[in-house]
Amino acid sequence: MADAAPRLKGLVEQLLGVPLPVRIRAWDGSQAGPPGAPTLVVRNRRALRHLLWKPGELGLARAWVAGDLAVDGDLYTTLDLLSGLIWERGDDARTLAQSLRDPDFRSAVRGLLVLAGPPLPPSPPPEEARRPRRGLHTKRSDRRAISHHYDVGNDFYELVLGPSMVYSCAYWSAPPPQGTLEGAQHDKLELVSRKLALKPGQRLLDVGCGWGSMALHAARDHGVDVVGITLSQEQAAYARKRVAEEGLTDRVEIRVQDYRDVTDGPYDAVSSIGMAEHVGSERYLEYTTALHRLLEPGGRLLNHQIGRRPQRDESTYHLDPFIDAYVFPDGELAPLGTTVSLLERSGFEVRDVESLREHYALTLRRWVANLEADRDRAARLAGPGRARVWLLYMAASALAFERNRIGVNQVLAVKTPRSGACGLPLRTRTWN
């Protein structure tokens, strides 16, 4: 008799103490759960072993990336329904230890062990980053982390990001279909340029330049000389090709270089768009101080960065297991207030903060649509596991921005000279 799904549903609900909001379809074809709800497809017993050996988000992620777990139905709806059971429920060692003292919990675990089969830990998917936890945010470890995320093939990123090749939050005047991703990304680059007041003949340092889109925009549309730096060899090669094709090699230089090694200041402006999340809390003051040192007096910094909500006890903050293992190894998010404080400690005067939270949700949904529209090709380009990583990461992130679990902010800061003349207009939102 095919009964794996009802057995699994009962055991999971016994563990969680709440009804499952989704249906389950098991490897034997059986189904259980609310009619009409999205279906969590458990393709084999190995999916359960992933969860038993790594309870919580990481076990679910391993099962998803390995292809042992899938969703039949709308992925956003499924993730939204499961969010309270995954992201808003503690899965640390203390929570697990408390649960194990409950006889019903122990009984459910024993039932899952029987259902899962031989209790051997499955190997993590090859897409999972493996590195020592010592020496975080050294130059070597940062290069390795950046390579893990970005050096997976420029063709894959073209498919996901579209022709703009901008991997950060766009700036939408209207949501799709009225607004397009390419138009919104152009408007974001122009917004950054206006906030920095870029003028012909100035020097711009673009930290974490990606595939060169900001550097090209600044040079082509604003007559600026640009140095773009990245730790990704593949990004640098792609960006240099674009620069050559546009005939801007005399205005744009792309380097594979760590921000700590840039010594050819001063620059009139610095843009850091979606890079600071990689810096880490231990190095953040070093990062802001280095950028302050590289600027001319009166020079501007535009720091575009994802931020998380503050915790009552910041000492308990830990990296998101799925993001750390599969997406941004060693990446860290900080509350906006912490970022502003560290900019001020390094000598900057913070002049403007703009939240683009809803804009990032729209951007991520567009990237997800791009991937899903050509999912087979995405799997061929980056591998099926990597395509599944990106689908889950972007869809979950879109919901996180929509539900205000995380945000993204542009912080405009100035290296204000002793005279106090910062060079900004009285009404800063005119951006000139």
Side-chain angles (χ1 to χ4, degrees):
M1 178 180 176
D3 63 350
R7 288 172 62 195
L8 179 57
K9 175 180 177 292
L11 290 167
V12 171
E13 290 179 342
Q14 187 177 339
L15 280 174
L16 299 176
V18 294
L20 266 180
V22 297
R23 286 183 66 78
I24 291 178
R25 183 163 73 238
W27 56 90
D28 62 356
S30 61
Q31 299 192 46
T39 301
L40 203 60
V41 182
V42 185
R43 288 176 168 160
N44 51 53
R45 297 174 188 269
R46 187 174 57 193
L48 302 186
R49 294 198 288 274
H50 278 297
L51 285 166
L52 286 165
W53 282 93
K54 280 291 181 183
E57 184 177 330
L58 185 55
L60 280 168
R62 286 179 171 178
W64 171 272
V65 176
D68 301 326
L69 197 64
V71 167
D72 185 1
D74 183 70
L75 180 59
Y76 294 109
T77 303
T78 306
L79 291 173
D80 210 18
L81 289 169
L82 292 174
S83 63
L85 306 179
I86 303 173
W87 295 288
E88 297 164 18
R89 192 182 187 94
D91 60 355
D92 56 24
R94 182 181 300 178
T95 303
L96 183 59
Q98 291 171 346
S99 299
L100 285 172
R101 289 195 287 269
D102 182 344
D104 289 339
F105 187 92
R106 293 198 303 272
S107 172
V109 171
R110 285 193 295 269
L112 283 173
L113 285 169
V114 171
L115 193 58
L120 297 175
S123 299
E127 292 79 11
E128 185 167 317
R130 297 174 180 84
R131 74 276 189 221
R133 296 298 301 173
R134 296 174 297 171
L136 287 182
H137 299 296
T138 64
K139 293 177 184 179
R140 181 179 180 182
S141 70
D142 281 353
R143 283 196 303 272
R144 184 168 58 241
I146 293 298
S147 178
H148 174 88
H149 187 75
Y150 294 104
D151 292 340
V152 298
N154 292 325
D155 290 345
F156 174 75
Y157 279 98
E158 284 182 336
L159 185 154
V160 174
L161 304 180
S164 67
M165 287 299 281
V166 180
Y167 182 39
S168 55
C169 170
Y171 188 59
W172 299 83
S173 57
Q178 293 87 355
T180 67
L181 178 60
E182 309 318 313
Q185 289 294 13
H186 173 274
D187 289 350
K188 189 271 299 299
L189 298 177
E190 183 60 20
L191 178 67
V192 171
S193 300
R194 287 189 285 118
K195 287 182 176 182
L196 292 173
L198 297 180
K199 297 177 178 65
Q202 289 185 330
R203 296 185 76 211
L204 168 69
L205 175 65
D206 187 28
V207 183
C209 67
W211 293 272
S213 298
M214 179 63 201
L216 287 167
H217 181 88
R220 181 184 58 239
D221 293 7
H222 296 273
V224 176
D225 295 326
V226 188
V227 172
I229 61 172
T230 175
L231 295 181
S232 167
Q233 295 285 351
E234 290 195 20
Q235 282 186 334
Y238 189 97
R240 288 167 183 155
K241 183 174 183 289
R242 294 177 75 190
V243 169
E245 288 173 347
E246 294 211 23
L248 291 170
T249 53
D250 60 329
R251 308 295 294 275
V252 179
E253 178 187 1
I254 303 296
R255 304 174 185 168
V256 178
Q257 188 175 38
D258 192 285
Y259 70 89
R260 287 162 283 199
D261 294 331
V262 179
T263 59
D264 62 342
Y267 289 86
D268 299 287
V270 174
S271 54
S272 178
I273 307 172
M275 177 272 178
E277 297 89 340
H278 296 288
V279 171
S281 58
E282 294 180 10
R283 299 284 185 179
Y284 205 87
L285 184 59
E286 180 182 0
Y287 157 77
T288 56
T289 301
L291 300 189
H292 186 271
R293 171 180 50 81
L294 288 165
L295 276 169
E296 286 270 18
R300 301 184 189 184
L301 163 69
L302 192 286
N303 189 72
H304 176 118
Q305 180 178 343
I306 299 172
R308 61 175 173 84
R309 301 294 160 231
Q311 298 184 168
R312 289 185 179 180
D313 180 4
E314 282 293 323
S315 66
T316 64
Y317 170 69
H318 62 277
L319 304 180
D320 180 277
F322 168 58
I323 299 294
D324 188 43
Y326 288 98
V327 186
F328 294 112
D330 305 341
E332 295 180 52
L333 301 184
L336 173 61
T338 301
T339 297
V340 169
S341 294
L342 289 169
L343 284 165
E344 290 181 329
R345 281 181 60 188
S346 62
F348 281 106
E349 180 187 9
V350 172
R351 295 299 305 239
D352 186 83
V353 176
E354 182 175 7
S355 172
L356 303 180
R357 178 173 62 81
E358 295 88 350
H359 294 260
Y360 218 156
L362 290 171
T363 306
L364 284 155
R365 281 184 176 263
R366 187 62 255 169
W367 290 343
V368 168
N370 287 346
L371 195 157
E372 289 193 312
D374 209 349
R375 197 167 176 180
D376 290 342
R377 182 166 177 261
R380 290 196 303 272
L381 291 172
R386 183 76 64 181
R388 284 191 288 267
V389 166
W390 269 75
L391 183 61
L392 179 60
Y393 146 63
M394 293 191 300
S397 295
L399 288 172
F401 281 106
E402 288 169 356
R403 301 295 183 262
N404 194 29
R405 288 194 287 267
I406 54 177
V408 61
N409 306 284
Q410 287 192 351
V411 180
L412 179 66
V414 182
K415 184 177 179 176
T416 303
R418 290 189 177 184
S419 67
C422 73
L424 270 76
L426 289 175
R427 296 186 177 185
T428 51
R429 292 281 171 168
T430 58
W431 304 127
N432 55 31

